[in-house]
Amino acid sequence: MDEPHQAMPDIEVLPAHFPIPGAGFLPVNAFVIKAKEPVLVDTGMGIEGEEFMKALESIIDLHDLKWVWLTHDDADHTGSLQKVLEGAPSARLAAHSLAVLRMSTAWAVPMHRVHWLNSGDSIRVGDRKLTAVRPPLFDNPTTIGILDDKSEAFFSADCFGAIIPSPARNVDDVPEGDLAQGMISWASADSPWVHMVEPSAFSQALDKIRQMAPKMILSGHLPPTQGKTEQVLELLARVPTSTPFVAPNQRALEQILAQKRGGG
Ligand SMILES: [Fe+2]
Ligand SMILES: [Fe+2]
């Protein structure tokens, strides 16, 4: 885990980074919306569970937490979900129904604390309304981003993610060329179906975000992004016709393992 910090006056970032051998780092963020009914957005990676809980408790007393919003049930977003639900007895779990059902095959999700959301549905959390929005790119059918009508931030789940050369607190600290390359290759790797989509149809999905005009984009996999919405939308528009990502194979793994052995 990296040091938690404020993205906006009422939004805290719980940042972490995951090393991708030979490529750089994937930021892995969760967020706390300091709404009247405080909301945790995603729960980090399980491998850092203890650190995650410490970081979370440095920001909020778990007894005050009223909601956990799960953007989707991938492991890099659900890491501390059970711990959080145990430690925050009044928190409800806002998630897509299929995310809840899939997780229920692994552990007993307390269904009486669950709130099911589809894209377009909203919850009120005291001083604001949070609306579920399916982002233009996603790697999981249960994905629901969030439009916060008070801060006007858009929590985009995996969309707008990028593998970057070194961990960064703000997207402005990432060189533009690295951002472009990292975002396009992440998009192709994480949402390979995008190469089957007509670029014109995809650009309509991007237009929906353009029309939302978020003040900040808070991706699970990019440092907080302000004042760059048009720039990142233009990057994503290039993805359907970009060269599809090819994942490393066994030969690459053997090289990585040999390097590790060589390094002691
Ligand atoms: Fe994902
Ligand atoms: Fe993710």
Short mmCIF file of all heavy atoms in Angstrom, two decimals, residues 72 74 77 139 158, ligand 1:
data_model
loop_
_atom_site.label_atom_id
_atom_site.label_comp_id
_atom_site.label_asym_id
_atom_site.label_seq_id
_atom_site.Cartn_x
_atom_site.Cartn_y
_atom_site.Cartn_z
N HIS A 72 -16.89 -4.23 -9.14
CA HIS A 72 -17.07 -5.56 -9.74
C HIS A 72 -16.32 -6.57 -8.86
O HIS A 72 -15.56 -6.18 -7.98
CB HIS A 72 -16.61 -5.64 -11.20
CG HIS A 72 -15.17 -5.30 -11.48
ND1 HIS A 72 -14.59 -4.11 -11.11
CD2 HIS A 72 -14.20 -5.99 -12.12
CE1 HIS A 72 -13.33 -4.08 -11.52
NE2 HIS A 72 -13.05 -5.21 -12.12
N ASP A 74 -13.88 -8.71 -9.23
CA ASP A 74 -12.52 -9.20 -9.49
C ASP A 74 -11.68 -9.10 -8.21
O ASP A 74 -11.88 -8.20 -7.38
CB ASP A 74 -11.86 -8.38 -10.60
CG ASP A 74 -12.39 -8.75 -11.98
OD1 ASP A 74 -13.18 -9.71 -12.07
OD2 ASP A 74 -12.01 -8.08 -12.96
N HIS A 77 -10.28 -6.07 -6.41
CA HIS A 77 -11.26 -5.10 -5.89
C HIS A 77 -11.97 -5.64 -4.65
O HIS A 77 -12.59 -4.89 -3.91
CB HIS A 77 -12.28 -4.74 -6.97
CG HIS A 77 -11.64 -4.15 -8.20
ND1 HIS A 77 -11.68 -2.80 -8.47
CD2 HIS A 77 -10.91 -4.72 -9.18
CE1 HIS A 77 -11.00 -2.57 -9.60
NE2 HIS A 77 -10.52 -3.71 -10.05
N ASP A 139 -13.92 -5.49 -17.75
CA ASP A 139 -13.45 -6.86 -17.94
C ASP A 139 -14.34 -7.87 -17.24
O ASP A 139 -13.98 -9.03 -17.08
CB ASP A 139 -12.00 -6.99 -17.44
CG ASP A 139 -11.87 -6.79 -15.94
OD1 ASP A 139 -12.87 -6.43 -15.29
OD2 ASP A 139 -10.76 -6.99 -15.42
N ASP A 158 -12.31 -0.49 -13.83
CA ASP A 158 -11.04 -0.78 -14.52
C ASP A 158 -10.78 0.17 -15.69
O ASP A 158 -9.66 0.23 -16.20
CB ASP A 158 -11.04 -2.21 -15.06
CG ASP A 158 -10.84 -3.26 -13.99
OD1 ASP A 158 -10.73 -2.89 -12.80
OD2 ASP A 158 -10.80 -4.45 -14.33
FE FE B 1 -11.45 -6.12 -13.39
#
